[in-house]
Amino acid sequence: MFAYPHNETSTGAMTAVRRQGSAGSLTVVDATSAAGGVDINARETDVYYFAPQKNFASDGGLWFALMSPAAIDRIGRVAATDRYIPEFLSLSVAVENSRLDQTLNTPAIATLLLMDAQIQWITENGGLAWAHARTKDSSDQIYEWAEAHPNASPFVANPEHRSQVVATIDFDEGVDASRVSAMLRSNGVVDIDPYRKLGRNQLRIATFTAVDPSDVSRLLKAIDSAIAAL
């Protein structure tokens, strides 16, 4: 089995969803921050699983998965062994409940309502291809801005590996990103702080499907104004 994340939210790195290994191998992809915002070919993976709190604009506490027949077969064969698997962690139990349109534990109704509304909105506007184009528009604006700015640069140097749902931007010593963030926060612009454990002088901007590309344009102008005021 080969397992990897489609998108990494702390660094803003993204990989392509491609089948790995030889015949008989399973490709398992953690897609929590990419699902619903990045188009994929589901045939390139055996398990594509995610929680709905990112592009689906819902809450966590519930997971969904697209599974191939090979993955479901593997789950059944593992369940048939004498391996101890707690019911809460049993994929076999999850599959059985899914076929009955139910879950082992009752999820928050608000989570389902929010996700349903987001799915309907995405579908009405053109589906996953539309959502993909929307997040790419937003992230492209940020990367192009950073590449043109004298004090900024995309943290992920290789354009092929840059996320289109989370953009991380580095600043040189001429700009204190924490001061920029604090200035914007004092004016009601929030949630653009970097992942603290990276310890870098940067901003991290979410461009999930629900984010309007025009709001990204306004944010970049606000960042320019904050930098000019330092």
Side-chain angles (χ1 to χ4, degrees):
M1 183 178 76
F2 293 82
Y4 61 92
H6 188 181
N7 186 78
E8 211 289 304
T9 54
S10 61
T11 60
M14 188 170 73
T15 59
V17 174
R18 295 195 184 98
R19 186 168 293 283
Q20 305 294 317
S22 57
S25 298
L26 296 181
T27 299
V28 178
V29 179
D30 176 349
T32 287
S33 58
V38 182
D39 206 355
I40 64 160
N41 178 358
R43 295 180 183 276
E44 289 293 319
T45 178
D46 292 291
V47 182
Y48 190 77
Y49 68 95
F50 55 92
Q53 73 266 29
K54 304 294 186 181
N55 287 290
F56 290 105
S58 185
D59 290 328
L62 182 67
W63 63 274
F64 299 82
L66 305 178
M67 292 187 180
S68 70
I72 292 175
D73 177 69
R74 179 79 65 88
I75 289 169
R77 285 191 282 120
V78 171
T81 68
D82 59 359
R83 180 190 299 180
Y84 171 69
I85 303 174
E87 192 174 38
F88 182 74
L89 299 177
S90 171
L91 293 178
S92 177
V93 169
V95 170
E96 291 171 7
N97 277 286
S98 176
R99 288 169 172 165
L100 297 173
D101 293 326
Q102 63 187 34
T103 58
L104 175 63
N105 296 313
T106 303
I109 299 302
T111 300
L112 299 177
L113 290 173
L114 289 168
M115 186 171 186
D116 178 64
Q118 185 76 345
I119 289 174
Q120 290 189 45
W121 175 66
I122 291 173
T123 302
E124 289 167 359
N125 280 284
L128 190 54
W130 171 82
H132 179 98
R134 184 176 169 93
T135 60
K136 190 173 188 308
D137 180 1
S138 293
S139 58
D140 280 351
Q141 289 185 57
I142 298 170
Y143 293 130
E144 289 169 7
W145 172 87
E147 289 176 331
H149 198 284
N151 302 107
S153 61
F155 172 58
V156 179
N158 187 337
E160 293 183 3
H161 297 158
R162 290 175 188 164
S163 169
Q164 65 186 63
V165 289
V166 179
T168 47
I169 303 301
D170 275 347
F171 291 90
D172 63 21
E173 63 278 0
V175 173
D176 185 340
S178 64
R179 289 184 62 196
V180 172
S181 178
M183 190 179 300
L184 293 176
R185 182 176 291 275
S186 69
N187 286 278
V189 181
V190 299
D191 294 336
I192 58 170
D193 297 309
Y195 186 65
R196 291 184 181 87
K197 288 186 177 180
L198 284 181
R200 299 183 69 86
N201 183 36
Q202 67 178 203
L203 297 178
R204 181 176 53 152
I205 303 168
T207 55
F208 298 127
T209 307
V211 176
D212 194 314
S214 64
D215 285 340
V216 173
S217 300
R218 295 186 184 95
L219 172 62
L220 294 174
K221 291 177 181 177
I223 293 173
D224 278 332
S225 295
I227 291 174
L230 290 177

